[in-house]
Amino acid sequence: MKQKLKTLGYAGISIFLCLSLIRFPDQALEAAIRGLNMWWEVVFPSLLPFFITAELLLAFGVVKFLGVLFEPIMRPLFNIPGAGSFGWIMGMASGYPTGAKIAARLREEKQVTQIEAERLVSFTNNSSPLFIFGAISAGFFYNIKLGLLLAICHYSANTIVGVIMRFHGKKQEQHLTKKKRYSFSLKRAFQEMHRNRLKNTRPFGEILGDAVLNSIQTLVMVGGFIILFSVLIKLLFLMDITPIIAAFIEPVLPIFEMPKELGLPFISGLFEITVGSNLISQVTTDSLLQKAILISFILGFNGLSIQAQVASILAKTDIRFYPYFLARLLHGTIAVILTILLYKPLYLDRIVINSNEIPAATIQDSSIWMNTYYFLQNIGPSITILSLAAAIFIIIYKIKKT
């Protein structure tokens, strides 16, 4: 019976989506183009170098090297092997879904157990500094100083989630043989790296080609989800479904001293972070804190679009999705608490209020993240075209070789 209900549910959703596309073809096309532009200009060129680098570092044993060095830190703090430090660092630098990609690769190479991989995924999928400072702070709010508050709350909450999730799966690990804990050793780290590289018998050209191809395949999948959810959010709004959901949220917002107008933008943010953050920035509120609270939560929650990307990456492994989902709720909640506590020392105390308006930086303010954001928008399409052409060339070469 349960499977029959699932079949009906999946069929119903597919039919609804199909009928909605037929009913609103122009608006769906506009939303798809908007999602494609986001992927084309910023997401693909910003994530591709990190994905390729991660593949190369894994192939050449550098992750093994880092794993041995960071074992004394990662094991007592997060209860994962030192190799998890690579996913943590890369996740913070490049943003989602890099953490899930690296965790899946580490699991495939047996460098982490299933439980350890689930712990790793729970706190390595966070927003990148480029998105927080460039897109949200400068692009939506025209306020660079807000980025510092959001970033500190976001990454601090993520670290706290990692510490809490160290207890995940404790009972399941009781029957496993406890691994010996090693102290810091540069010599042993190099030996492990050398041993791992020797196991990989592929020539350098093949390693590089596989790294490029695997990275591009993942990013094409990410682009598909971005376009799909961009269209889905638009269709839900046109079909008056999003406003209906928002109607249940709006009566609750005044309890937290927030205007009802934030209900619809907040629901949109739960689906897709970029759309929700932009809508939240356009609402007039008595205090910027109200907006910062909601944005901190949806950044920690990741949005259903990002969660779908992560679920797709994890589906190829035995890593379960539900610990990651629970960690997202926890991350959003902790980020909100930190935003309330740190709003005054990290934001209000750093600005001079000359009027009743919230002071905002201009878009021309010097910021490495904003400059990078605009740089990617200018050359991003060129990088995307060249990368896709390289992937096609590698595929053709592999076919001819076989």
Side-chain angles (χ1 to χ4, degrees):
M1 185 64 184
K2 185 178 180 182
Q3 293 302 322
K4 290 181 180 179
L5 291 175
K6 274 189 176 182
T7 301
L8 288 174
Y10 292 149
I13 293 172
S14 301
I15 293 171
F16 167 78
L17 182 60
C18 181
L19 295 177
S20 300
L21 289 172
I22 296 173
R23 174 68 178 83
F24 303 103
D26 295 338
Q27 294 90 333
L29 177 61
E30 180 186 349
I33 293 174
R34 184 171 60 249
L36 177 62
N37 287 336
M38 187 191 309
W39 175 79
W40 175 270
E41 295 177 350
V42 179
V43 175
F44 189 99
S46 64
L47 288 183
L48 182 63
F50 288 97
F51 278 22
I52 294 176
T53 302
E55 292 284 344
L56 293 177
L57 292 177
L58 282 164
F60 296 138
V62 179
V63 176
K64 277 281 188 181
F65 179 85
L66 294 174
V68 175
L69 290 184
F70 285 93
E71 180 77 16
I73 299 175
M74 301 300 290
R75 182 61 70 181
L77 194 60
F78 303 116
N79 199 14
I80 60 175
S85 62
F86 176 65
W88 189 25
I89 295 170
M90 294 291 283
M92 283 195 294
S94 58
Y96 16 65
T98 306
K101 171 73 172 175
I102 293 175
R105 290 287 287 114
L106 291 175
R107 179 59 186 145
E108 289 171 1
E109 295 192 352
K110 310 275 187 212
Q111 295 194 39
V112 293
T113 65
Q114 178 192 2
I115 298 298
E116 290 169 344
E118 290 171 358
R119 292 172 185 155
L120 182 61
V121 170
S122 68
F123 74 98
T124 55
N125 283 279
N126 39 243
S127 182
S128 67
L130 175 64
F131 182 71
I132 293 177
F133 285 95
I136 294 182
S137 303
F140 297 155
F141 284 90
Y142 306 102
N143 191 336
I144 300 295
K145 294 182 177 65
L146 177 64
L148 180 64
L149 172 68
L150 294 176
I152 290 178
C153 294
H154 184 66
Y155 296 122
S156 298
N158 207 37
T159 303
I160 295 172
V161 168
V163 175
I164 295 174
M165 290 299 291
R166 75 184 307 278
F167 301 104
H168 165 67
K170 274 275 190 179
K171 293 182 179 179
Q172 295 174 255
E173 286 185 327
Q174 286 179 352
H175 67 281
L176 299 176
T177 304
K178 290 187 178 180
K179 296 180 180 180
K180 182 180 178 181
R181 293 189 179 184
Y182 294 97
S183 58
F184 179 86
S185 174
L186 195 61
K187 179 181 178 181
R188 190 168 59 83
F190 178 78
Q191 290 174 342
E192 288 289 336
M193 179 178 68
H194 181 61
R195 191 178 298 114
N196 188 85
R197 190 193 68 81
L198 293 178
K199 289 180 181 179
N200 197 331
T201 57
R202 293 176 298 167
F204 176 77
E206 186 177 353
I207 292 174
L208 182 60
D210 289 344
V212 173
L213 191 58
N214 292 337
S215 301
I216 290 177
Q217 287 176 340
T218 303
L219 284 171
V220 169
M221 178 271 295
V222 169
F225 275 110
I226 291 174
I227 295 171
L228 173 63
F229 272 84
S230 179
V231 173
L232 183 61
I233 291 171
K234 185 68 175 180
L235 292 177
L236 290 175
F237 178 78
L238 293 172
M239 299 289 286
D240 292 327
I241 294 177
T242 308
I244 292 174
I245 299 174
F248 290 96
I249 301 295
E250 289 175 354
V252 180
L253 291 176
I255 299 175
F256 299 96
E257 299 182 355
M258 293 185 182
K260 293 181 178 180
E261 290 77 14
L262 286 172
L264 184 58
F266 177 65
I267 294 299
S268 300
L270 294 181
F271 280 92
E272 214 288 318
I273 297 174
T274 308
V275 174
S277 299
N278 190 17
L279 292 175
I280 290 173
S281 69
Q282 297 172 8
V283 177
T284 302
T285 58
D286 296 333
S287 171
L288 188 62
L289 175 61
Q290 298 168 328
K291 297 180 181 180
I293 288 173
L294 295 185
I295 289 180
S296 286
F297 183 83
I298 63 176
L299 282 175
F301 183 70
N302 285 186
L304 295 179
S305 175
I306 302 296
Q307 292 189 21
Q309 297 170 30
V310 172
S312 178
I313 293 172
L314 300 184
K316 300 175 183 178
T317 68
D318 60 355
I319 304 173
R320 293 169 296 183
F321 176 76
Y322 83 87
Y324 162 78
F325 179 76
L326 293 178
R328 294 308 93 220
L329 295 174
L330 186 61
H331 186 184
T333 303
I334 296 174
V336 166
I337 295 172
L338 290 178
T339 302
I340 296 172
L341 295 176
L342 300 178
Y343 179 69
K344 186 177 185 300
L346 291 184
Y347 184 78
L348 288 183
D349 291 350
R350 297 181 68 251
I351 59 176
V352 178
I353 301 179
N354 296 322
S355 65
N356 292 328
E357 296 181 354
I358 296 296
T362 62
I363 197 69
Q364 290 82 14
D365 280 14
S366 59
S367 167
I368 185 173
W369 303 113
M370 199 61 215
N371 293 335
T372 304
Y373 186 77
Y374 281 122
F375 177 74
L376 286 174
Q377 283 188 320
N378 291 329
I379 71 164
S382 301
I383 296 175
T384 305
I385 292 173
L386 291 174
S387 301
L388 293 175
I392 294 171
F393 174 80
I394 294 171
I395 292 172
I396 294 174
Y397 175 79
K398 281 179 171 286
I399 293 173
K400 286 184 176 181
K401 191 175 179 181
T402 54

